[in-house]
Amino acid sequence: MSQAMGFAPETLICLLCVILLLPAPSTSQDTFIRSRATYYGSPDCYGTPSGACGFGEFGRTVNDGSVAGVSRLYRNGTGCGACYQVRCTTPEYCSDEGVNVVVSDYGEGDRTDFILSPRAFVRLARANVASKLLAYGVIDVEYRRVSCHYSGYNLMVKVHDYSRFPHYLAIVVLYVAGQNDITAVELWQEDCQQWKGMRRAYGAVWDMANPPRPSGSGSIQLRFQVCGSAGTTWVQSRNGLPSDWKPGVAYDSAIQLLA
């Protein structure tokens, strides 16, 4: 799958996600949307750690490897981490519930909205007929957005491996629960007494050159603009990034978004 970088006005992103994907007060979309899906090759049937969302290993194994690349649902990266119920529509081969997948990549197929990991694709099938479904390659499906659930996990902030302390900070936000999109991330700049916005570098990766440095042994405070069924709001992390943050390390925010 190819990696896509792009930027869009946050207000437009939020408006689209509320109108198209997040009808309140339901915990999921009531109406299924018809589309098509295919699958990609994988030696172990899981996802890929090099997906366009920037999730790394999280994007390979989250949700037991039931992940997907999407095209228009990618939404310039805002769609990364969203959860969907996908079910195919051939009664003799397809299960009633289908499979819930997490968006971890960008990809375009033959008029498809979903390019599923092999593990996700076979879970569309009834017992003992997965091989027949795989033989189709591309199938008709219907889908709806559903809430993500991560039992035992708070929202996590992982410092991207490309970060270089202290001059360049890139982060990935993981375990975003519910039907919520992260549409902005800000860091508190203590010397100016104001919030400073990070840039969406690509996918779910946010970055900043010369990030704020807290005084003494303090932490870097973060807050997230969340677009969900309740509208748009700012949520501040209870735990900030330590002043000596390290690339590759994931830090617990001590918060979780509502489903």
Side-chain angles (χ1 to χ4, degrees), residues 3 23 29-30 40 93 102 186 224 239 247:
Q3 181 167 298
Q29 281 181 285
D30 295 323
Y40 57 87
Y93 298 136
V102 178
E186 294 184 340
F224 312 96
N239 291 339

Side-chain angles (χ1 to χ4, degrees), residues 198-255:
M198 301 188 80
R199 176 185 73 117
R200 186 189 292 277
Y202 68 94
V205 179
W206 301 83
D207 70 354
M208 179 184 291
N210 301 312
R213 300 189 67 181
S215 59
S217 59
S219 60
I220 303 174
Q221 299 303 308
L222 301 94
R223 69 175 185 175
F224 312 96
Q225 187 180 64
V226 180
C227 179
S229 57
T232 303
T233 187
W234 284 96
V235 179
Q236 185 171 341
S237 173
R238 292 195 182 98
N239 291 339
L241 293 178
S243 57
D244 59 346
W245 52 263
K246 294 176 174 57
V249 177
Y251 298 97
D252 190 338
S253 71
I255 62 170

Side-chain angles (χ1 to χ4, degrees), residues 114-243:
F114 295 90
I115 303 180
L116 302 171
S117 68
R119 291 177 74 86
F121 195 87
V122 299
R123 289 171 179 170
L124 293 171
R126 294 184 180 275
N128 304 317
V129 296
S131 60
K132 294 182 180 179
L133 198 63
L134 286 166
Y136 275 84
V138 180
I139 56 174
D140 292 326
V141 298
E142 55 186 15
Y143 71 90
R144 62 180 178 178
R145 187 164 181 182
V146 296
S147 291
C148 298
H149 298 281
Y150 299 109
S151 179
Y153 287 95
N154 290 321
L155 184 145
M156 304 286 288
V157 176
K158 181 182 179 181
V159 177
H160 199 283
D161 292 335
Y162 292 157
S163 299
R164 293 294 178 266
F165 181 84
H167 304 296
Y168 172 72
L169 173 63
I171 64 170
V172 189
V173 185
L174 309 177
Y175 299 110
V176 179
Q179 294 187 43
N180 295 298
D181 296 326
I182 303 296
T183 52
V185 181
E186 294 184 340
L187 305 180
W188 178 251
Q189 189 159 358
E190 190 171 337
D191 55 352
C192 298
Q193 291 292 293
Q194 65 180 16
W195 291 98
K196 184 176 181 181
M198 301 188 80
R199 176 185 73 117
R200 186 189 292 277
Y202 68 94
V205 179
W206 301 83
D207 70 354
M208 179 184 291
N210 301 312
R213 300 189 67 181
S215 59
S217 59
S219 60
I220 303 174
Q221 299 303 308
L222 301 94
R223 69 175 185 175
F224 312 96
Q225 187 180 64
V226 180
C227 179
S229 57
T232 303
T233 187
W234 284 96
V235 179
Q236 185 171 341
S237 173
R238 292 195 182 98
N239 291 339
L241 293 178
S243 57

